[in-house]
């Protein structure tokens, strides 16, 4: 086992080096075998940030948007070249099935490639126009023009453990294309993939454009200063701590957050059991519960079905989820791996118990017998399906259990009441609604959109080609209001806003046009 | 004097009523004569917010964007009908000269009218499309579309004392057009204009769409909840307190801030003394120091001039500013009124002293002899011009003295060094640069834009029709990074984002198109 007790290398100030001390021990969550140590103790984090700001920032700003896009394309190519290795690392360190690992690695690659393509269309410009020229006075000569320019600092990318590759790819693509150098602070438990990914892509970028540090002490966020950006994906609790950082409270540092979300799937009362829309709903919900062992910020946590279909849905979900094969991803036939750590397993099991105080357990009570590992080993949890006894119980709408756990609700007949019930989640990333009734779809969109960053409408017309609600596409915004953190990632060029300053220019129209054209 | 000791009425839950207790005594800052009492003690603020969310929100959301625009048009018309009365109130309660008062009242009116015009072009829709349809799969049927929808709460508009009318108009136009009900909390010292303005416009709006409360206890911000927006203009210090509110830290409430800014004016080395560009620079700087007695968030605080022109600029500024006639705005010939309160006067005088520790006082040391008021009465301050002794002294770049006070700096020859010096302001609302050298203008824009919400380029070509940097136009974004708070107001439809949720819709293209078309 060549990976055994490898010490993850940090890239700071253009130099790869190892931290001191033991740091965190990274495990294979299926076997609990130690794989590597993560630490940045003793390294000069502040100097690393300063180098990134100075060297990386200047190098990126000297490039046009089109040229930065070429860098993203080269990063995607590098990932492609190392795809098999990265997939295996994700299976080993993340407990991912091969399919889950591909989802993560290909997600990173696809996102970088998508932004490379967008960038090619932007041309050789160094400021990005936001809208057209605006006439300000009576004569056309005095004009206004909005532009995006890179912020003059470093973007600290704090990622969650569930997508060490894709999470990096999403944030990196937007920050680098916007023209900001990045410093990555991956979650410790799955850091092997993140560190290897940066090793793989680093040398296609200018020195200082990308850095990575284990930073178990969470020192990096407190070292940020005016001009810097902190882009965070993780728990609401940590997000609240970051919002209270002095540099954030003073507004010197700009913060973007993607946090908790109790995403919902809604089945319309018009849908016939067994029909195409019904099958789309069912396969989406099953996938969103099982995939990545439920460790997705976009996973379905709440399922709303009309009274008339409740029993049928319950039976169908139980039947499909009951047969999910849990075990070591390297074992033949395994469909769902473990969660990522002992702490996550404890949190999922405890969370499921808290939900069960207000819900009937339909599936999951009997525990789990993982395939391919000795009894008692690994951080496995059962697929758990609950049915709300009291639909208004706060915990069912507010506690995100980050595992393969979902709760079934009976939808109120009244659409407004249904929307109010879904909205008790207090803001989420995505909500999906399955219906062929266009009037209902419209009403649901108007009601649900204020509470979600994305609303997915499933119907017969797209049943054959639908992308599930859990897949985060670079074309569309990722983020959500309230509990979900209030951030906006991706969505094409919209995702560059966090890393850019939008500035209104005011003056002679010809001059402004020339500046925008570069 | 019919205004004497009037008690300002609050509008909450659709009812006008007076608060209890004495609250704050509002004065005429020229004469120190008491004019009115502001208090909302004993009123049901939480019930007022709930009424606004429920009744005002539902009524506004039931309207299309075009119909909401008609409401804004009607508000502008009402202000026009009461223009003379409002101007006189602003002169009396705000210490505004007639010209300053018009700037405020007409600013409110113009902004509302501008948004009414924008809205007319949006048509009878209830969701606002953000960009075009995006193809997500191989076939064109599966599409994505971004839309803005109104947030489901109330927008609390906390305004600063300097623009009781315009500040209201800016925030109200964007919030109401976006579809959110508003509750106004004006600054106490100039609340007469704000309360009268709401009295004037309230009955053209649906019940609950607009409310106003004196709220001296600052209770309203802590009563906000998920779905609400807090839009704040004021000091950095208060902004930091608001950012630390539990509802903001948890991300339930969305916060927009426009705060301190040490705006700069830069004279290019190519500019010839006495030429058109030089005269534009000079008249802009003089106006931005004097207008509203320097109580403008966009006023020029720092002036950067090349070594070769330093003496000439110094002499010209001293000559023009020395003759500014200070006094009671109702006295004939007065060009600059008092600051708004005793506390503001103390703050301006103390701030000027702190600047003078690192700068030579060119003007202002001899105090002020106001016209039309008995000696010693009124909150008058002298026009104060300083010249930096140590250009790198932090206080000169970081202390916003909110009065007619500016500091002159000699520009470094190197453009990068000049940009770095300006950037020591730590983020500002606006920076103006005066040059006819297009290469220099481009270089300055690239350097200055990351640190400012707006960059104004003054040149010969637009000298005749230029709008000064201090005028906030509804077409262009108002806000800035860092010290300026990080918010984005106005800028046409961009200003609606704070009050909207941007949501990605995903599904059948024809259905999404139909939803967007309303």
């Amino acid at each position: 086992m060549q990976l055994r007790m490898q010490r993850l290398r940090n890239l700071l100030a253009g130099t790869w080096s190892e931290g001191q001390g033991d740091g965190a021990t990274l495990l294979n969550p299926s076997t609990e075998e130690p794989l590597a140590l993560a630490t940045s103790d003793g390294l000069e984090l502040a100097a690393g940030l300063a180098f990134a700001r100075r060297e990386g920032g200047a190098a990126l700003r000297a490039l046009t948007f089109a040229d930065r896009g070429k860098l993203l394309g080269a990063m995607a190519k590098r990932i492609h070249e190392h795809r098999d290795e990265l997939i295996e690392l994700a299976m080993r360190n993340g407990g991912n099935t091969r399919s889950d690992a591909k989802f993560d690695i290909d997600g990173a690659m696809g996102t970088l490639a998508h932004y490379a393509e967008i960038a090619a269309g932007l041309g050789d410009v160094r400021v990005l126009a936001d809208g057209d020229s605006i006439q300000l006075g009576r004569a056309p000569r005095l004009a206004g023009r909005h532009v995006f320019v890179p912020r003059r600092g470093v973007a600290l990318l704090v990622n969650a453990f569930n997508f060490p590759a894709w999470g990096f790819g999403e944030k990196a693509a937007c920050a680098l294309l916007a023209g900001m150098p990045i410093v990555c602070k991956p979650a410790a438990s799955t850091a092997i993939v993140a560190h290897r990914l940066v090793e793989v892509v680093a040398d296609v970028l200018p020195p200082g454009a990308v850095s990575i540090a284990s930073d178990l002490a969470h020192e990096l966020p407190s070292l940020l200063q005016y001009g810097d950006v902190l882009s965070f994906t993780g728990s609401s609790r940590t997000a609240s701590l970051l919002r209270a950082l002095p540099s954030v409270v003073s507004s010197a540092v700009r913060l973007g957050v993607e946090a908790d979300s109790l995403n919902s799937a809604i089945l319309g009362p018009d849908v016939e059991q067994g029909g195409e829309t019904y099958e789309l709903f069912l396969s989406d919900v099953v996938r969103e519960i099982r995939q990545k062992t439920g460790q997705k910020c976009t996973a379905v946590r709440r399922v709303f079905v009309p009274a008339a279909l409740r029993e049928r849905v319950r039976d169908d979900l139980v039947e499909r989820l009951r047969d999910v094969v849990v075990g070591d991803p390297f074992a033949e036939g395994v469909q769902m791996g473990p969660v990522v750590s002992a702490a996550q397993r404890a949190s999922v099991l405890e969370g499921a118990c808290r939900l069960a105080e207000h819900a009937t357990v339909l599936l999951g009570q009997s525990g789990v017998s993982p395939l391919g590992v000795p009894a008692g080993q690994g951080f496995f949890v059962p697929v758990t399906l609950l049915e709300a006894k009291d639909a208004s119980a706060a915990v069912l709408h507010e506690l995100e259990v980050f595992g393969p756990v979902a709760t079934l609700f009976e939808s109120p007949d009244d659409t407004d009441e249904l929307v109010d019930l879904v909205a008790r989640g207090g803001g989420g990333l995505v909500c999906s609604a399955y219906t062929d009734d266009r009037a209902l779809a419209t009403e649901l969109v108007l009601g649900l959109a204020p509470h979600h960053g994305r609303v997915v409408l499933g119907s017969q017309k797209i049943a054959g080609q639908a992308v599930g609600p859990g897949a985060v596409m670079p074309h569309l915004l990722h983020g959500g209001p309230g509990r979900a953190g209030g951030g906006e990632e991706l969505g094409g060029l919209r995702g560059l806003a966090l890393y850019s300053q939008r500035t209104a220019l005011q003056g002679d129209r010809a001059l402004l046009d020339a500046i925008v054209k570069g």
Side-chain angles (χ1 to χ4, degrees), chain A residues 166-474:
Chain A
W166 201 344
F168 164 84
E170 283 171 23
K171 290 176 169 30
C174 291
L176 292 170
L177 181 53
M180 285 196 85
I182 59 175
V183 173
C184 310
K185 196 206 99 47
S189 51
T190 58
I192 295 181
V193 172
H195 280 254
R196 183 64 189 133
L197 199 66
V198 171
E199 282 180 350
V200 158
V201 301
D203 69 359
V204 306
L205 295 171
V210 62
S211 308
I212 187 166
S214 296
D215 186 30
L216 302 172
H218 303 290
E219 198 184 338
L220 282 166
S222 65
L223 294 172
L224 297 179
Q225 61 191 40
Y226 167 65
D228 292 340
V229 172
L230 174 51
S231 178
F232 171 77
T233 296
S235 74
S236 288
R237 201 161 51 176
T238 307
S240 295
L241 296 175
L242 296 177
R243 285 197 193 89
L245 282 176
S247 60
V248 173
V249 166
S250 74
S251 87
V253 170
R254 194 187 288 182
L255 174 63
V257 170
E258 192 252 286
D260 300 359
S261 176
L262 281 88
N263 313 293
S264 302
I266 298 169
L267 183 63
D270 61 295
V271 176
E272 280 177 35
Q273 53 186 61
E276 266 188 304
T277 306
Y278 182 85
E279 284 302 318
L280 177 63
F281 158 80
L282 212 60
S283 65
D284 274 1
V285 170
V286 167
R287 185 201 321 104
E288 296 309 328
I289 294 174
R290 179 194 51 71
Q291 194 174 44
K292 292 281 284 178
T293 318
Q295 299 168 109
K296 284 194 318 194
C297 50
T298 53
V300 169
R301 309 290 177 198
R302 297 180 291 158
V303 184
F304 295 86
V305 296
L309 286 167
R310 194 176 63 155
E311 279 192 45
R312 174 66 192 264
V313 169
R314 183 170 60 194
D315 293 348
D316 285 345
L317 283 178
V318 168
E319 189 188 316
R320 297 209 192 178
L321 291 168
R322 190 176 46 199
D323 297 332
V324 170
V325 180
V326 180
D328 185 334
F330 288 96
E332 184 75 25
V334 163
Q335 297 169 304
M336 190 176 98
V339 294
V340 78
S341 65
Q344 280 302 312
R345 183 183 51 181
S347 166
V348 169
L349 296 177
E350 190 213 322
C353 284
R354 286 187 55 200
L355 299 182
E357 289 168 20
H358 302 275
T360 310
V361 181
L362 303 176
L363 196 71
Q365 236 163 358
S366 57
V368 62
S369 309
L371 196 74
V373 290
Q377 226 174 55
F379 311 129
F380 295 94
V381 297
V383 174
T384 304
L385 186 66
L386 304 113
E387 184 167 23
K389 283 188 285 201
D390 171 12
S392 68
V395 70
L396 300 180
H397 302 283
E398 296 176 5
L399 179 67
E400 185 189 37
V401 181
F402 212 66
V405 180
T407 306
L408 203 60
F409 294 79
E410 184 177 306
S411 298
D413 291 335
D414 181 77
T415 306
D416 285 345
E417 282 177 39
L418 170 59
V419 165
D420 287 347
L421 199 58
V422 174
R424 294 199 53 188
L429 295 170
V430 58
C431 180
S432 48
Y434 301 80
T435 176
D436 294 295
D437 177 340
R438 291 168 65 114
L440 175 64
T442 303
E443 204 181 338
L444 283 172
V445 163
L446 290 173
L448 296 168
H451 305 290
H452 298 88
R454 189 158 49 96
V455 175
V456 178
L457 295 170
S459 65
Q460 261 179 356
K461 298 223 163 145
I462 53 151
Q465 48 175 316
V467 182
V472 170
M473 281 181 292

Side-chain angles (χ1 to χ4, degrees), chain A residues 115 170-171 174 231-232 255-259 429 452-453 476-481 484-499 502:
Chain A
Y115 275 93
E170 283 171 23
K171 290 176 169 30
C174 291
S231 178
F232 171 77
L255 174 63
V257 170
E258 192 252 286
L429 295 170
H452 298 88
L476 301 181
L477 274 180
H478 178 51
E488 289 190 332
E489 295 190 313
L490 300 171
L493 291 174
R494 296 171 187 84
L496 274 60
L498 178 63
Y499 308 99
R502 178 153 64 172

